[in-house]
């Protein structure tokens, strides 16, 4: 066998071993790595509000219980004569919807000079601070709200007091007064309906 | 597009509207003459004087106490006309009367509304005499309740009107007596 053919095979084998070694070294080099993962979760909370309580000066008297004498408007001269209450339980104010976002106030059997002052409590029960963007008072049925407590340009005077711009943090409660006074212009046996809306917006979107 | 969507969401902003629905229901003021009776209806002996009346609301019966003549010469009738405008009318007619005839009628004013009312005498009994007569030919009085008496819904007040014919009365003539009451919401001044 000629010496030249043996050397050629050795050379080829040595090359093959070298290539395999290089491959192995190459694979080992590639394994030295680390992947870091960032997982993002955006949880949105809620803007929410709820009526939590109403302080009512003239709730309906309980059956068989003591009367709930009708309140007198502090503006009424009668207030200084006989005090904050009439000597009769004639009208009454019923409130439902506590714990919800819709409150219903029903004044029953009222008469000229009937008065009530409701203290409305509502809470930011969401998780985002809110600001009172707007409070609107509208009538239903085309009647006009009296311009003053004893005005005769409307059958009922209603005042939903201003709290626009007030901020409520989560869990915070806002208290606002809602006054109403039946005027001499009121007709008998009639329902005067109105609606008050309290618009709460996320605090950083409030538009002054 | 993503930017517009984000802008759109931001513009809509998160908000919450709380709603308060209010209704003011008004009651009614309504007082009416509901019942009446005469001390000398047709077929009874004429009355001499007026002492007092009582009324039983359960039975609707009036009870008059007093003295009577031994004759049935005159008589007095009473009726009620109910109207919304100008209001209820109590009509008293005395027939074939004579000097010293003295009859009375009792009546109730009921509060049929839902608001307490004060009952006021707006026009005291006023006599319109016939030609040749005088207001002094009759003596008229009201009794039973004081002016401004308060009547709660469902309650009533009892009153009576008496008419005494005097010696100067004109024969075969008609005298008219008028009085006006007004029911006013109890917590407002009379106007």
């Amino acid at each position: 066998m000629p010496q030249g053919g043996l050397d050629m095979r050795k050379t080829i084998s040595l090359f093959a071993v070298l290539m395999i070694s290089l491959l192995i070294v190459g694979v080992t080099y590639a394994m030295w790595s680390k992947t870091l993962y960032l997982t993002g979760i955006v949880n949105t909370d809620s803007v929410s509000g709820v009526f939590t309580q109403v302080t009512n000066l003239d709730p309906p008297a309980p059956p068989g219980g003591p009367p709930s004498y009708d309140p007198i408007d502090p503006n009424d001269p009668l207030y200084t004569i006989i005090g904050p209450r009439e000597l009769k339980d004639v009208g009454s104010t019923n409130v439902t919807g506590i714990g919800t976002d819709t409150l219903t106030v029903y004044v029953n059997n009222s008469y000229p000079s009937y008065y009530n002052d409701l203290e409305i409590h509502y809470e930011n029960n969401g998780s985002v601070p809110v600001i009172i963007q707007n409070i609107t008072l509208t009538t239903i049925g085309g009647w006009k709200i009296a311009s003053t407590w004893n005005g005769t340009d409307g059958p009922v005077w209603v005042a939903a007091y201003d709290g626009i711009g007030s901020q409520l943090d989560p869990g915070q409660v806002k208290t606002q007064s809602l006054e109403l006074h039946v005027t001499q212009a009121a007709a008998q046996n009639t329902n005067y309906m109105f609606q008050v809306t309290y618009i709460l917006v996320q605090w950083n979107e409030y538009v002054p | 597009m993503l930017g517009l969507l984000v802008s759109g969401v931001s513009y809509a902003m998160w908000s919450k509207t709380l709603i308060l629905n209010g209704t003011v229901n008004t009651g009614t003021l309504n007082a009416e003459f509901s019942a009446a009776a005469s001390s000398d209806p047709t077929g009874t002996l004429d009355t001499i004087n007026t002492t007092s009346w009582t009324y039983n609301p359960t039975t609707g019966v009036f009870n008059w106490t007093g003295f009577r003549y031994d004759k049935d010469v005159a008589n007095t009738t009473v009726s009620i006309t109910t109207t919304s405008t100008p209001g209820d009318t109590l009509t008293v007619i005395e027939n074939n009367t004579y000097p010293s005839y003295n009859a009375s009628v009792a009546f109730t004013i009921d509060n049929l509304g839902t608001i307490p009312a004060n009952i006021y005498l707006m026009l005291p009994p006023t006599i319109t005499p016939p030609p040749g007569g005088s207001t002094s030919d009759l003596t008229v009085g009201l009794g039973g309740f004081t002016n401004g008496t308060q009547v709660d819904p469902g309650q009533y007040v009892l009153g009576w009107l008496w008419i005494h014919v005097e010696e100067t009365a004109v024969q075969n003539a008609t005298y008219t007596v008028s009085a006006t009451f007004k029911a006013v919401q109890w917590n407002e001044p009379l106007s």
Side-chain angles (χ1 to χ4, degrees), chain B residues 1-8:
Chain B
M1 288 304 293
L2 185 60
L4 286 174
L5 284 173
V6 170
S7 298

Side-chain angles (χ1 to χ4, degrees), chain B residues 46-79:
Chain B
D46 294 355
T47 51
I48 298 174
N49 67 342
T50 297
T51 51
S52 66
W53 285 87
T54 58
Y55 176 67
N56 185 330
T58 303
T59 61
V61 173
F62 290 89
N63 183 45
W64 175 84
T65 55
F67 296 99
R68 294 182 183 276
Y69 290 106
D70 57 356
K71 295 285 188 184
D72 179 15
V73 178
N75 64 71
T76 297
T77 61
V78 59
S79 61

